[in-house]
Amino acid sequence: MRGTPGAARVHILCTAVCAAVCAVPALSPGAGTPWGTLGLLAALSTACELPGRCRYFGRAVPVGAGSFFPVLLTAAFLLPPSAAVLVAVPGALAGRVDRPPVTARRLWRAAQLALTVGAASWTYGLLGGPATLGGASGGTVPDLPYALVPACATALVFSLVLAALDGGIRVTAERVAVRHAWRGLPARSVGPHLVHALAGLMMAVLWRSTYGPLSALVVLLPMYISCWVFAQYHRRNAAHRATIRALVQAVDIKDGYTRGHSERVGRASELIARELGMEESRMEALRFAGILHDVGKLGVPTRILRKDGPLTPEERRVIELHPEYGHEIVRGIGFLDEARAAILHHHERLDGSGYPYGLAGDGIPEFARVVAVADAFDAMTSTRSYRRGRPVPAAVEELRRCAGSQFDPRMVRALARALDRHGWSAAANTVTSDEERPGLPAQRAGSRPPATGSPGRPGQPR
């Protein structure tokens, strides 16, 4: 417990004491605890946890993904509360812990799950759930679909108790503000726990049928595999986000004048995509394209990016190479798909006068046409050290004026509709340079001038 805040220690110990008190009746002489069922379920729960500690599997198995929750809910359906409390303890104590303090985390996980399963079992018994299972104790066949009602109520209680305890540890151990500690926890967990409850209900029905406990493994194995696949999917997405975050941070460090610009272009691109009715997978790729559209600035000399004063023609030509640099940087990142084309072509113009290849009309990839509008919109509405941002209506009007020559009119209309529907948050109009704040003069002597190019090229960024 060393290194654990005092408030967190109290929270963990109180939860552990409550779980222990709940388990006392099962340990009393003459309690009639079904030790055989309890032992088998505890062994199954532990078996789901142990692969995480095996060097041959390592981090490829799901940890905390709920692969063992169907077993715990099966215990809530088959056992009295005092016995169900004990099922989660061996697996929680034996499971893998990724971060210190290891002892405190194991104790907390065991106490939390034990108390949650006990509350779920108490709810199931209160609603008469055991009588609906059928089999040896409740009749010949399960009472379906009525058996779903107590099972779903049990899943709801399971989810709420787990979320309540999670919020408590976030407040005491992670110093999260009370008003934020429970935000979103129940909403994110109720759906998955309902699925776990249905799997647990099937396990319980098979367990009490003539086929016996081994038949319940028919449900558990596919559930564990699906949890493993789900965990791999989230691990891959986390790696993708980390890759993009690292690239964007590198650009922001190199060109501090446009800090935050990439994320806002990604957001505006996503608004346009949603208005156009794109599929979710394409929307995500387009958001990535917006976020990474300026990654090629990593190949532009810092002295040019941070130069005070107008660019020379030669320096302008160097700046205009950044789409090609960006395309080369992300060429080997397979998950970006269409985003690569947007990074390469987001400075093309509909009339063919853009760069790097002078594409025109529909020859410009769709993603590039979206990002071009989002990029110019944010450039116009963002306050920089050398000028104030334009109001959103003025920026939209300028986009409309240039639609057909510089921008795709369909993308401009989509952005205008999205802004009418969702607005553009004040956070999107923050200062993007470390040097100035709103309220200061629009431009100082010697400060970096607007990089708007020429009339007809609104907010054209470097």
Side-chain angles (χ1 to χ4, degrees):
M1 299 283 281
R2 184 177 299 173
T4 306
R9 294 187 189 186
V10 172
H11 185 62
I12 293 171
L13 290 175
C14 287
T15 305
V17 168
C18 290
V21 169
C22 292
V24 165
L27 303 174
S28 302
T33 302
W35 290 107
T37 300
L38 192 158
L40 285 172
L41 288 171
L44 282 175
S45 175
T46 305
C48 290
E49 292 270 19
L50 287 179
R53 303 190 68 176
C54 178
R55 63 178 182 176
Y56 297 107
F57 295 98
R59 300 182 181 276
V61 299
V63 175
S67 56
F68 54 92
F69 280 177
V71 178
L72 301 185
L73 284 159
T74 301
F77 298 150
L78 292 176
L79 298 171
S82 59
V85 166
L86 298 171
V87 170
V89 175
L93 293 176
R96 187 178 86 213
V97 176
D98 290 328
R99 292 182 297 163
V102 174
T103 301
R105 288 182 182 276
R106 284 205 174 114
L107 179 59
W108 163 246
R109 196 154 178 255
Q112 178 194 32
L113 291 177
L115 199 57
T116 301
V117 176
S121 178
W122 179 83
T123 302
Y124 193 66
L126 186 67
L127 297 175
T132 67
L133 289 178
S137 302
T140 56
V141 294
D143 190 9
L144 295 173
Y146 302 105
L148 296 175
V149 176
C152 291
T154 300
L156 180 61
V157 170
F158 186 94
S159 183
L160 291 176
V161 173
L162 201 63
L165 294 172
D166 270 335
I169 204 68
R170 292 180 71 193
V171 170
T172 57
E174 300 176 17
R175 313 293 190 190
V176 177
V178 173
R179 66 180 181 275
H180 299 308
W182 287 273
R183 182 176 296 174
L185 285 178
R188 289 196 301 267
S189 60
V190 167
H193 290 157
L194 283 172
V195 175
H196 296 148
L198 293 178
L201 182 63
M202 287 188 284
M203 287 184 66
V205 168
L206 289 170
W207 195 289
R208 295 181 63 171
S209 71
T210 55
Y211 299 104
L214 286 178
S215 62
L217 296 177
V218 175
V219 177
L220 184 60
L221 184 60
M223 177 60 69
Y224 188 83
I225 292 173
S226 66
C227 285
W228 180 83
V229 172
F230 191 66
Q232 299 308 303
Y233 170 78
H234 278 279
R235 190 171 288 116
R236 185 191 65 182
N237 280 357
H240 292 174
R241 289 192 295 271
T243 300
I244 290 171
R245 186 164 55 249
L247 289 171
V248 170
Q249 286 175 344
V251 174
D252 284 348
I253 290 171
K254 185 161 189 175
D255 187 11
Y257 282 95
T258 57
R259 184 164 296 139
H261 170 67
S262 298
E263 288 84 354
R264 293 193 299 273
V265 172
R267 176 174 174 266
S269 299
E270 188 175 18
L271 286 176
I272 296 172
R274 197 173 298 278
E275 200 64 35
L276 294 174
M278 287 188 184
E279 297 176 357
E280 286 293 332
S281 59
R282 293 194 75 212
M283 259 197 301
E284 183 178 41
L286 184 51
R287 183 171 64 85
F288 289 160
I291 291 172
L292 293 174
H293 73 286
D294 273 344
V295 70
K297 286 184 176 180
L298 293 174
V300 177
T302 304
R303 62 178 177 79
I304 296 178
L305 290 176
R306 298 187 176 183
K307 179 181 178 181
D308 288 330
L311 298 177
T312 66
E314 180 60 31
E315 289 169 337
R316 175 66 66 179
R317 283 193 290 272
V318 173
I319 282 280
E320 290 180 354
L321 290 173
H322 81 267
E324 294 176 275
Y325 292 154
H327 185 262
E328 287 301 313
I329 289 171
V330 302
R331 182 190 291 275
I333 304 178
F335 69 86
L336 290 177
D337 298 325
E338 289 183 85
R340 290 191 291 271
I343 293 168
L344 179 61
H345 297 295
H346 70 278
H347 281 299
E348 305 283 6
R349 292 166 53 104
L350 231 61
D351 60 9
S353 63
Y355 64 88
Y357 298 132
L359 302 183
D362 291 338
I364 304 171
E366 183 181 31
F367 274 22
R369 284 177 274 146
V370 171
V371 172
V373 172
D375 186 20
F377 171 76
D378 183 70
M380 286 189 285
T381 56
S382 297
T383 296
R384 305 280 173 84
S385 62
Y386 46 79
R387 56 134 174 92
R388 298 180 186 276
R390 300 189 193 186
V392 169
V396 172
E397 188 56 38
E398 183 69 9
L399 290 172
R400 285 179 174 143
R401 186 180 71 82
C402 298
S405 59
Q406 183 173 351
F407 304 115
D408 186 330
R410 187 165 70 101
M411 308 310 174
V412 173
R413 290 194 297 269
L415 178 62
R417 289 195 305 269
L419 293 172
D420 288 340
R421 192 186 311 248
H422 304 289
W424 188 246
S425 67
N429 300 319
T430 55
V431 173
T432 53
S433 168
D434 293 334
E435 299 180 11
E436 297 285 343
R437 297 290 178 221
L440 294 182
Q443 185 174 349
R444 299 182 304 180
S447 67
R448 180 175 174 175
T452 54
S454 58
R457 300 174 75 93
Q460 184 77 21
R462 288 187 176 183

